[in-house]
Amino acid sequence: MEFSINGRTFDTATSTTAAISRGMKSAGESYDGYELRWEDVLYRTAEGAFFVHEHHTNKSARGGKPIITDETSELTPEQAIQWIRDRGAVVIDAEGLHLPDDC
């Protein structure tokens, strides 16, 4: 997928997966009757820039079509490290990141 962020083009197909955060919260976990599933992926471009693609699916316990959102944002290496920490993401490829021991 290609994304335009601040006038720059980022492509998941030509970028390296750096880290992944996946999960699910059921309708019974205070989500107003919705089940939330997410897969958020941190990518690194060949030039060393980082961006995150956040894909979320909200599905009502009462039926109907799910609501799908896709958002992207560019991150500095420091923001990428904080993103990994905040989400407890699994690091796939740490190149370009100076990860502290607690990541």
Side-chain angles (χ1 to χ4, degrees):
M1 293 181 94
E2 284 189 9
F3 301 98
S4 179
I5 307 169
N6 300 323
R8 294 177 57 196
T9 301
F10 294 85
D11 189 350
T12 60
T14 58
S15 298
T16 300
T17 300
I20 300 173
S21 172
R22 291 184 182 130
M24 181 184 96
K25 294 210 178 195
S26 68
E29 294 183 65
S30 300
Y31 272 164
D32 297 328
Y34 282 86
E35 173 185 277
L36 172 66
R37 293 178 186 235
W38 69 90
E39 180 177 85
D40 300 341
V41 182
L42 176 68
Y43 292 95
R44 182 185 62 255
T45 67
E47 295 79 26
F50 290 93
F51 69 102
V52 64
H53 172 222
E54 297 178 340
H55 178 85
H56 296 187
T57 304
N58 286 299
K59 186 176 181 182
S60 174
R62 294 174 288 253
K65 287 188 170 188
I67 300 166
I68 298 171
T69 59
D70 286 292
E71 296 183 15
T72 58
S73 55
E74 185 175 9
L75 303 176
T76 65
E78 294 78 16
Q79 290 170 322
I81 291 168
Q82 191 61 48
W83 181 91
I84 291 167
R85 276 186 175 145
D86 291 348
R87 285 163 179 78
V90 175
V91 176
I92 306 298
D93 185 332
E95 185 179 326
L97 296 170
H98 301 289
L99 296 173
D101 292 336
D102 64 340
C103 277

